[in-house]
Amino acid sequence: MMFTIIIVLIVSLVLIGVIVNAMQQHKNKMETERRAEASKQKAIIENTEAALKAAEGIPFTQRFLFIMRRRVFMATKALQSASDGTTNYNQQIKGLEEELKAIDITQPAPSEDQFKLPQADKQVIQFIKGIKTLRALLRAEFKKGRLESRVFLAEDKLLERLQLRANVDTLIRRGEIALKNNQLGSARQCLEKAIGALSSQPNQDEYITARKSKLQEKLSEIESNLKRANSKDVAEKQESERNELDELFAEKKKW
């Protein structure tokens, strides 16, 4: 009888140990998932804020700004849900709610003419990366079902146009610098790339056709200068060779 009781106690203890261990494993798993979710939401907030900062000066719509700020708002709410309770995000959530209410999404899109490319090359790189990142974030919101197709297409199209202008203006600027340094070959290459970028656009609107026409005129001028420079080089080379032959076959003087 005593042996049976001991066996029952041992089995009970083993079962309790198994249950406690399973509960601890489950607790650890939940904690790992909570931390992973919190890290994910923090990354969403940081990436969105960084992209908006990098793309300062982009004339995007108030509707696009609302979409991005809402993205931060939703991530902050999710972060609070995934929080361990040591940090309170209520104040941040309230501030974001007020910010969203103040954004007038009915405002018309700003003119693309407001676009100005930064002066420093480092800023230009950050600027273009910012646009690309914002397009990726916009697509992410669309995939989450937070945007209608027409809204996504309209906003993405505007960013695509601004990205095109940034790329073209950068190439033009580099071409102008090459011209000042009398690097005609490099200047021609920059303009050819800019024309290629404009020509690849399916919608050849007034801006694209006017810009392309102006660049083609400049390219023709550069090519004419290159031909003149090459002709001059050929003439100088021929003259040099002729002088060498004259000297070689000239009548030797008698002393």
Side-chain angles (χ1 to χ4, degrees):
M1 184 68 177
M2 182 63 67
F3 180 75
T4 302
I5 293 173
I6 292 172
I7 293 298
V8 170
L9 287 174
I10 292 173
V11 171
S12 298
L13 288 173
V14 170
L15 286 173
I16 291 171
V18 170
I19 292 170
V20 170
N21 185 56
M23 290 176 66
Q24 186 61 45
Q25 286 183 352
H26 178 71
K27 184 180 178 181
N28 292 342
K29 181 183 177 183
M30 294 295 290
E31 178 63 16
T32 300
E33 290 177 353
R34 183 195 65 75
R35 289 180 179 177
E37 181 63 19
S39 296
K40 175 185 174 182
Q41 299 305 325
K42 284 181 180 178
I44 288 174
I45 295 168
E46 290 171 1
N47 291 342
T48 306
E49 297 283 14
L52 286 170
K53 185 176 181 181
E56 284 180 355
I58 294 179
F60 46 66
T61 66
Q62 288 296 296
R63 182 171 60 182
F64 180 82
L65 178 62
F66 178 87
I67 293 168
M68 290 297 106
R69 299 313 296 166
R70 183 182 61 186
R71 177 180 170 84
V72 173
F73 169 71
M74 298 292 286
T76 305
K77 287 187 69 175
L79 179 60
Q80 170 141 299
S81 298
S83 174
D84 58 3
T86 58
T87 305
N88 192 315
Y89 295 93
N90 287 335
Q91 197 64 33
Q92 289 174 246
I93 291 172
K94 185 179 179 181
L96 288 165
E97 282 180 331
E98 294 300 319
E99 186 179 345
L100 288 173
K101 289 177 183 177
I103 299 174
D104 182 8
I105 63 174
T106 63
Q107 284 189 21
S111 171
E112 289 183 22
D113 293 334
Q114 294 181 21
F115 166 79
K116 289 184 179 179
L117 195 68
Q119 292 300 313
D121 285 346
K122 188 175 180 180
Q123 289 177 313
V124 171
I125 293 171
Q126 290 177 339
F127 187 82
I128 294 175
K129 282 183 177 180
I131 295 177
K132 289 181 177 180
T133 303
L134 289 177
R135 291 186 69 187
L137 297 183
L138 182 69
R139 183 172 293 278
E141 291 299 285
F142 175 62
K143 287 182 177 180
K144 288 178 181 178
R146 295 176 182 171
L147 297 176
E148 296 179 14
S149 295
R150 63 177 184 82
V151 173
F152 166 72
L153 291 173
E155 295 298 334
D156 186 63
K157 184 64 178 177
L158 176 58
L159 289 175
E160 183 184 32
R161 292 272 300 172
L162 293 172
Q163 185 177 330
L164 171 67
R165 293 186 71 142
N167 288 333
V168 169
D169 287 1
T170 300
L171 288 167
I172 292 172
R173 181 185 292 179
R174 289 176 179 174
E176 290 173 347
I177 293 172
L179 275 177
K180 288 180 181 178
N181 294 329
N182 202 32
Q183 298 170 336
L184 299 182
S186 297
R188 179 178 63 182
Q189 191 176 45
C190 287
L191 294 188
E192 285 175 342
K193 286 182 178 179
I195 291 170
L198 291 168
S199 298
S200 66
Q201 297 301 304
N203 180 24
Q204 296 289 303
D205 58 20
E206 184 178 350
Y207 161 77
I208 291 177
T209 53
R211 199 72 162 165
K212 193 163 58 172
S213 176
K214 186 176 180 180
L215 290 175
Q216 285 171 335
E217 288 179 7
K218 193 69 178 175
L219 182 60
S220 296
E221 182 182 335
I222 291 173
E223 287 176 342
S224 296
N225 290 337
L226 277 171
K227 286 179 181 178
R228 282 197 293 271
N230 289 336
S231 297
K232 183 179 178 182
D233 289 343
V234 169
E236 289 177 351
K237 185 179 179 181
Q238 289 176 341
E239 182 64 26
S240 176
E241 290 174 349
R242 187 180 301 112
N243 290 338
E244 289 177 0
L245 286 171
D246 289 344
E247 184 177 345
L248 181 63
F249 293 105
E251 184 179 347
K252 295 182 179 180
K253 294 181 179 180
K254 296 180 180 179
W255 298 94

